[in-house]
Amino acid sequence: MENSIEWELSIVLLVAVNSEAEIVRERLRELSTDSNGAVKDDGNCTIYYIKINDVLLKIIYSKCPYPNQGGDSAAWQTTLLIKQYDPYCLIMLGKCAGNRNEQLGIGDVIISGTVFRHDYGKLSTSENKQVFEARGTTCCIKANDKLIEKIQVNCLRNYGNSISSDIDTKYKIKIGAISSGCQLVKYANAHSIISKYLHIGAAAGDEHNRVLLGIDMEAYAVAYASEKSNCKWLVIKGVSDFAEPTSNIDDGSKKAVTNSFSTAILVIREVIISLFLQESGEETISKDEGSALVAYRSGEFEKEKCIAKEAFQKGMRSVKIRRRLLHGLVETDRFDEADQICN
């Protein structure tokens, strides 16, 4: 780490399937500050460091385990990564089926202001026909208000209508609802039907929470697990198809995932870093750094460790706080904890 870096920010990037993983992994290698790309690969995740101004991003990148797609593996992996790495924010990347009626094209990107689950409900018989009674209105989770507000101001107003793609075209970014289910959806007017089942158009709140823009298989599970773990989350997905009977998700997969990743980096740079610094507070950081340093100089290593650890757990991860925490742990023989901090 260079001496000029004063902040460290941990973010998880999660994808579902191999085709998404390969694209995101290659892009992270290009951005990594390490000449070898990844600095750790334990089979479950890979860690990359990316420097943006005075902030060192610790990107914990992972793919959902078998069967990859769907809510079960997404919820499991989300919970595991948050417990292990305590990130400031978890972002789910990848592809989804976009709503053609909302002027979305292949490669355009959806940021979920709200997520629903459309396969939660009751299957019964009425007039000798099977009827599914969707109850997804009770399965509705909204993203962090401050995150969404800052994305609207810092990203959509400045970039939303025309983002230069890393492939060959420009794309749009929209905030709206994404609905998830454990089956791949491919039928006519899918977005309208699901919106009707879930009463999404009649939902209260901001306009972007009342328009179903995308359908996928993981967004709700990721949001649910993140909320239960008290971690900020976002779902950022590119449009690869339109959930129509003739749709082929592979046709737009590369463009969708590439633009999803580019949008995530844009959101991190323009929104998440500033929100992190704002919430951490430079004055608080300086006070904790000073208190830990005083304890170190007076030989009170247990106190040094406690002050630094409390600040670190709140997300106050400047290099000075990290140094005091590591020193305190080593001096008090907490070598396993120090090793976890290093990794």
Side-chain angles (χ1 to χ4, degrees), residues 304-314 321 325 329 337:
E304 174 194 21
K305 181 212 67 170
C306 290
I307 294 170
K309 186 174 184 178
E310 183 178 356
F312 194 82
Q313 288 175 339
K314 291 177 182 177
I321 284 289
L325 175 56
L329 289 171
E337 289 185 58

Side-chain angles (χ1 to χ4, degrees), residues 173-186:
I173 301 173
K174 286 193 173 187
I175 300 177
I178 293 179
S179 184
S180 302
C182 286
Q183 299 85 28
L184 188 66
V185 175
K186 290 183 72 172

Side-chain angles (χ1 to χ4, degrees), residues 85-101:
Y85 291 103
D86 188 26
Y88 178 75
C89 183
L90 183 144
I91 303 176
M92 179 78 182
L93 304 177
K95 55 195 174 185
C96 70
N99 188 344
R100 193 193 293 272
N101 294 329

Side-chain angles (χ1 to χ4, degrees), residues 116 194-196 198-204 206-207 209-212:
F116 292 85
I194 290 173
S195 294
K196 182 178 179 181
L198 302 183
H199 307 291
I200 292 177
D206 296 331
E207 183 179 352
N209 292 323
R210 292 185 277 117
V211 180
L212 179 61

Side-chain angles (χ1 to χ4, degrees), residues 70-75 112 114-122 132-142 177-183 185 187 193-200 209 212 214-225 233:
D72 294 339
S73 58
S112 60
T114 305
V115 293
F116 292 85
R117 181 172 171 180
H118 56 255
D119 64 349
Y120 175 69
K122 179 181 179 182
F132 177 68
E133 180 185 345
R135 296 178 178 176
T137 48
T138 60
C139 291
C140 170
I141 304 174
K142 293 183 178 181
I178 293 179
S179 184
S180 302
C182 286
Q183 299 85 28
V185 175
Y187 55 84
I193 293 170
I194 290 173
S195 294
K196 182 178 179 181
Y197 276 149
L198 302 183
H199 307 291
I200 292 177
N209 292 323
L212 179 61
I215 300 171
D216 82 338
M217 298 173 68
E218 301 87 21
Y220 182 84
V222 167
Y224 180 86
W233 60 271

Side-chain angles (χ1 to χ4, degrees), residues 40-289:
K40 177 186 176 185
D41 192 338
D42 62 6
N44 181 52
C45 67
T46 310
I47 294 175
Y48 298 84
Y49 283 102
I50 300 171
K51 185 181 177 184
I52 298 180
N53 298 325
D54 289 334
V55 175
L56 186 67
L57 293 177
K58 180 180 181 181
I59 301 293
I60 301 107
Y61 164 68
S62 187
K63 180 176 73 69
C64 293
Y66 181 83
N68 306 129
Q69 288 180 306
D72 294 339
S73 58
W76 165 262
Q77 194 70 351
T78 296
T79 303
L80 185 68
L81 292 168
I82 293 173
K83 182 178 180 180
Q84 184 173 359
Y85 291 103
D86 188 26
Y88 178 75
C89 183
L90 183 144
I91 303 176
M92 179 78 182
L93 304 177
K95 55 195 174 185
C96 70
N99 188 344
R100 193 193 293 272
N101 294 329
E102 293 298 325
Q103 290 76 52
L104 287 167
I106 299 296
D108 287 340
V109 173
I110 301 166
I111 299 176
S112 60
T114 305
V115 293
F116 292 85
R117 181 172 171 180
H118 56 255
D119 64 349
Y120 175 69
K122 179 181 179 182
L123 187 63
S124 60
T125 302
S126 177
E127 298 179 358
N128 297 320
K129 294 182 180 180
Q130 282 192 334
V131 177
F132 177 68
E133 180 185 345
R135 296 178 178 176
T137 48
T138 60
C139 291
C140 170
I141 304 174
K142 293 183 178 181
N144 181 274
D145 287 337
K146 289 183 179 179
L147 271 177
I148 296 301
E149 288 171 6
K150 279 187 171 291
I151 290 171
Q152 286 180 307
V153 173
N154 297 2
C155 296
L156 267 62
R157 290 183 185 176
N158 295 330
Y159 304 99
N161 292 325
S162 182
I163 304 286
S164 295
S165 172
D166 290 332
I167 300 179
D168 57 5
T169 58
K170 292 183 180 294
Y171 67 95
K172 299 188 295 292
I173 301 173
K174 286 193 173 187
I175 300 177
I178 293 179
S179 184
S180 302
C182 286
Q183 299 85 28
L184 188 66
V185 175
K186 290 183 72 172
Y187 55 84
N189 302 314
H191 296 82
S192 297
I193 293 170
I194 290 173
S195 294
K196 182 178 179 181
Y197 276 149
L198 302 183
H199 307 291
I200 292 177
D206 296 331
E207 183 179 352
H208 60 253
N209 292 323
R210 292 185 277 117
V211 180
L212 179 61
L213 296 183
I215 300 171
D216 82 338
M217 298 173 68
E218 301 87 21
Y220 182 84
V222 167
Y224 180 86
S226 297
E227 289 283 328
K228 291 298 181 182
S229 302
N230 296 313
C231 179
K232 293 182 179 65
W233 60 271
L234 284 171
V235 177
I236 302 176
K237 294 213 168 184
V239 175
S240 61
D241 66 287
F242 300 104
E244 296 166 341
T246 57
S247 291
N248 185 344
I249 61 173
D250 293 330
D251 290 345
S253 179
K254 182 176 181 180
K255 187 179 291 187
V257 178
T258 300
N259 293 349
S260 167
F261 176 85
S262 298
T263 302
I265 295 300
L266 174 68
V267 169
I268 291 170
R269 188 182 71 234
E270 301 289 339
V271 175
I272 293 178
I273 287 177
S274 64
L275 186 59
F276 166 73
L277 294 177
Q278 178 185 334
E279 290 182 351
S280 297
E282 294 192 25
E283 184 176 338
T284 303
I285 282 283
S286 299
K287 181 180 177 181
D288 287 335
E289 286 175 346

